[in-house]
Amino acid sequence: MTNSQLIVHIPDEPPHDLHHQPTVTVFASFINPKHANQIVRRLNQIAPLEGLRHVKRIRKKVLEEGGQIELSVVLCLAYEGDNQLDAVPPHLQEFISSYQLSPFITKVCKYEAISKEEWQEQCKFWPTSYHPRTYSIDGITGFSEEDSQSVLKFMQSAVELATSGGSVNVVNAAVIVDPSAKQIISTARDQVFAWNTCKDDSCCNKPDLLSSHPIANSLDPQKPLHLRSSCNHLKQSYTGVACLCPWQWAEQQSNSQSSYYCHPLRHAAIVAIESSAARDRRLFPNDEGSKEKYLELDHESPCSSSPSKRQKTVGATVEDDGKLNAQSQTSNQVEDNDKLNPHSQTESNLLSARPYLCTGYDIYLVWEPCTMCAMALVHQRIRRIFYAFPNPKTGALGSVYRLQGEKSLNHHYAVFRVLLPEEALHNRSAAETEETGI
């Protein structure tokens, strides 16, 4: 298996068996071609196909004998057990009578096709529309060997961070990366629990939380990754992972005699976002105008209810990533220059542009994020999400939900899974335990 085959794209919708696609039952009728336009216009007014906008209202068929054209139209949905015309609304029954239609029961595909092959199979039931992606995100159509190596190394960084506390204290970890510069922007581990060493309550409001684990930007290409097999069902429960066990903090707090500081929202992705924002504030202390400008743009560009307009909006967002990535790369160069010449820091900050949230960035997570973390990454305009292990309980990007396919959102990212075996966690933890002698 090549490195590129270890990175799997998680589509916006769950894949369906091409030959067994989910269907719904509808009432349909043959119609006179002369009345087709009138019938379709009227039906769209009195019986719109809500939730089935991918289904074409008219089916055209050329008869073998004589080459005549036969048209049939979808009248309305027929719910389970609703196979009698008596259940059809009165105004629709009047419409059927006025055109002397003869309704019959048929099936149409329930979901929009996500591939050309799926669309071709759907049309065997009833014609549907197919709209391929009008925008491109790197990796959806495959990764080059160089990009694959980069992805695997950044994921290795996340695994090392997640297991840095030893095999007993494995948590989720997040690594935010600027892919244009291949530079780590911020890193974080779960911080739901932190020890409170104060003997009184004086520091309960401001606990000394665990700091983000530092990782060098230059990764050792010789360090082996254990990638021989992937794991869908983990052998251990990993109760310390916040996204896997979101209520573990409450049980731990009630059962423990020790003094814990518990913050149930400090999942790895949230802490990494916070760290990235702190970095921006440090690099661009005087750049508050751009923040107001981007807020105005957000309010001026609400999510469109039209699928076609929404696609254009998403395409424009991805198209602008190149500009924002260039700005981010400039800021990274500025940071390096500032280290060499601290006196030029103020001047260089004024000449560079502050990145907007995490636009154009990638994030690497050991475990699939929960809904809270996945939604936070939507708000941060993350471009791509990579995770290694599925989250069967609360996973929001493939296991339970697919937030990346929610059309009502005004930003969409691409999601990938990096196939790693569970042994990658234990081997790393065991090696660290031997080194420390604990």
Side-chain angles (χ1 to χ4, degrees):
M1 182 179 288
T2 63
N3 287 335
S4 60
Q5 292 175 319
L6 296 170
I7 307 169
V8 180
H9 176 236
I10 308 297
D12 298 347
E13 298 288 342
H16 306 296
D17 186 344
L18 287 179
H19 305 290
H20 299 86
Q21 297 190 49
T23 59
V24 293
T25 305
V26 297
F27 284 115
S29 175
F30 296 109
I31 60 173
N32 188 331
K34 294 180 180 179
H35 302 148
N37 289 336
Q38 298 175 7
I39 289 175
V40 169
R41 278 198 299 267
R42 184 61 181 149
L43 282 174
N44 287 339
Q45 293 174 351
I46 63 175
L49 295 178
E50 298 295 342
L52 293 175
R53 295 186 180 276
H54 61 284
V55 177
K56 293 187 176 181
R57 198 103 209 195
I58 292 284
R59 179 177 65 182
K60 179 181 178 181
K61 186 177 180 181
V62 179
L63 301 177
E64 294 181 0
E65 298 179 2
Q68 293 182 344
I69 295 177
E70 179 185 78
L71 295 184
S72 49
V73 63
V74 175
L75 297 173
C76 65
L77 274 170
Y79 298 98
E80 293 184 12
D82 180 15
N83 295 332
Q84 302 298 324
L85 283 176
D86 296 340
V88 174
H91 61 277
L92 192 54
Q93 290 186 11
E94 293 177 6
F95 174 83
I96 292 171
S97 300
S98 64
Y99 283 97
Q100 299 180 350
L101 303 180
S102 301
F104 60 88
I105 294 288
T106 189
K107 292 184 180 295
V108 299
C109 285
K110 186 175 182 179
Y111 300 111
E112 183 178 357
I114 59 176
S115 67
K116 187 175 181 180
E117 294 75 19
E118 200 169 286
W119 168 68
Q120 290 171 340
E121 287 296 321
Q122 286 188 358
C123 290
K124 294 178 181 179
F125 288 94
W126 190 278
T128 62
S129 57
Y130 170 58
H131 301 288
R133 289 181 179 271
T134 58
Y135 59 95
S136 176
I137 298 180
D138 293 341
I140 289 181
T141 56
F143 288 87
S144 67
E145 185 62 24
E146 181 182 356
D147 291 337
S148 299
Q149 284 287 347
S150 178
V151 168
L152 294 175
K153 287 303 177 183
F154 285 127
M155 181 56 74
Q156 182 180 14
S157 298
V159 171
E160 290 175 358
L161 183 55
T163 58
S164 60
S167 58
V168 181
N169 190 28
V170 175
V171 296
N172 203 3
V175 176
I176 296 179
V177 174
D178 178 1
S180 64
K182 294 186 178 180
Q183 180 188 26
I184 293 178
I185 301 299
S186 67
T187 64
R189 304 175 77 225
D190 284 337
Q191 293 183 3
V192 173
F193 298 106
W195 287 103
N196 178 11
T197 55
C198 298
K199 295 183 179 180
D200 53 24
D201 295 334
S202 60
C203 61
C204 286
N205 294 329
K206 295 182 180 180
D208 184 16
L209 294 175
L210 300 172
S211 59
S212 297
H213 188 275
I215 297 180
N217 288 338
S218 58
L219 300 173
D220 183 8
Q222 302 301 323
K223 187 173 289 187
L225 278 171
H226 304 277
L227 300 171
R228 293 184 180 178
S229 63
S230 63
C231 181
N232 281 319
H233 304 285
L234 300 178
K235 298 175 183 178
Q236 295 188 18
S237 58
Y238 299 102
T239 56
V241 178
C243 284
L244 283 177
C245 306
W247 292 104
Q248 181 68 18
W249 66 273
E251 299 175 7
Q252 188 82 7
Q253 193 175 36
S254 61
N255 296 332
S256 177
Q257 300 270 334
S258 303
S259 181
Y260 269 108
Y261 169 78
C262 296
H263 196 313
L265 303 184
R266 294 190 67 80
H267 293 201
I270 305 296
V271 181
I273 290 170
E274 182 182 31
S275 178
S276 175
R279 173 183 179 272
D280 288 345
R281 289 193 298 271
R282 185 176 68 254
L283 293 178
F284 307 94
N286 301 321
D287 194 7
E288 292 299 326
S290 61
K291 180 180 178 182
E292 297 176 0
K293 178 185 70 176
Y294 285 125
L295 286 175
E296 290 176 3
L297 288 175
D298 267 356
H299 289 298
E300 290 174 2
S301 304
C303 179
S304 170
S305 59
S306 169
S308 60
K309 290 182 180 179
R310 191 182 303 117
Q311 277 193 344
K312 292 179 181 178
T313 302
V314 174
T317 302
V318 175
E319 212 171 79
D320 291 341
D321 282 347
K323 298 177 182 178
L324 290 162
N325 284 341
Q327 292 175 356
S328 177
Q329 189 169 6
T330 302
S331 69
N332 295 331
Q333 294 170 353
V334 168
E335 185 179 7
D336 294 337
N337 292 336
D338 289 342
K339 291 178 182 178
L340 296 175
N341 186 7
H343 298 289
S344 66
Q345 184 171 0
T346 304
E347 182 179 356
S348 60
N349 283 343
L350 291 174
L351 294 175
S352 60
R354 179 176 180 172
Y356 177 45
L357 303 176
C358 292
T359 302
Y361 291 167
D362 298 338
I363 188 169
Y364 293 80
L365 296 158
V366 178
W367 270 274
E368 177 186 357
C370 62
T371 305
M372 177 186 74
C373 294
M375 197 63 208
L377 296 172
V378 169
H379 292 312
Q380 286 294 311
R381 303 300 192 268
I382 284 286
R383 190 167 188 242
R384 298 184 301 183
I385 297 176
F386 298 86
Y387 68 84
F389 301 109
N391 181 348
K393 296 181 180 179
T394 62
L397 301 179
S399 296
V400 181
Y401 310 106
R402 293 193 184 231
L403 200 64
Q404 68 270 36
E406 178 52 55
K407 295 181 180 179
S408 63
L409 300 178
N410 62 349
H411 174 77
H412 297 86
Y413 39 57
V415 180
F416 302 89
R417 183 182 169 195
V418 180
L419 303 179
L420 297 180
E422 187 177 2
E423 287 73 17
L425 297 172
H426 302 304
N427 290 341
R428 176 66 188 171
S429 299
E432 287 189 350
T433 302
E434 290 178 3
E435 289 177 3
T436 56
I438 297 176

